[in-house]
Amino acid sequence: MKMIKYADTDEMREVSTELKALASELDGEINMLYSRLSEVPTISKEWVGSKAQLYFRLISYDKWQYISLSDHISRLGNEILREAKELETSINKDKR
């Protein structure tokens, strides 16, 4: 196992914040896309009929895979923040 020789906890906090913001933005984009797609066969009627309804119902199942990706990114941000806090706690204990 390799020893950590240097860790910039301020940078880790920034990366954590950015990852969580990007994950939130991604959630919004995914929801907006799938909301728009769900309207195609019934509201905007750009493509109608049973094939359109089937297609848009099937692709709606993929939404949760994308939301899962976004959740993983957010959790990674939380993990980085947790690690930064643990490193700071450890460093502060060693200084005493």
Side-chain angles (χ1 to χ4, degrees):
M1 191 162 139
K2 197 171 184 179
M3 284 276 297
I4 297 174
K5 295 182 181 180
Y6 175 78
D8 185 342
T9 56
D10 290 334
E11 180 72 18
M12 290 172 73
R13 287 175 183 277
E14 286 178 31
V15 167
S16 170
T17 300
E18 288 176 25
L19 283 172
K20 291 190 279 185
L22 288 170
S24 178
E25 185 179 337
L26 180 58
D27 272 345
E29 293 293 324
I30 291 166
N31 286 324
M32 192 168 36
L33 172 66
Y34 277 90
S35 176
R36 169 72 177 92
L37 291 174
S38 71
E39 295 174 351
V40 170
T42 56
I43 296 172
S44 67
K45 298 186 179 182
E46 296 161 74
W47 181 21
V48 295
S50 61
K51 296 279 186 184
Q53 290 174 346
L54 174 63
Y55 175 77
F56 289 106
R57 187 172 55 248
L58 289 175
I59 65 168
S60 71
Y61 298 130
D62 294 339
K63 175 183 178 181
W64 304 113
Q65 292 178 5
Y66 296 117
I67 294 293
S68 177
L69 171 64
S70 175
D71 289 344
H72 280 83
I73 293 169
S74 184
R75 284 197 300 270
L76 177 60
N78 289 333
E79 180 65 21
I80 291 170
L81 179 60
R82 187 183 67 72
E83 291 291 332
K85 288 178 181 179
E86 283 186 17
L87 284 168
E88 288 171 343
T89 299
S90 179
I91 289 166
N92 289 331
K93 282 182 183 177
D94 288 345
K95 285 183 179 178
R96 293 182 205 165

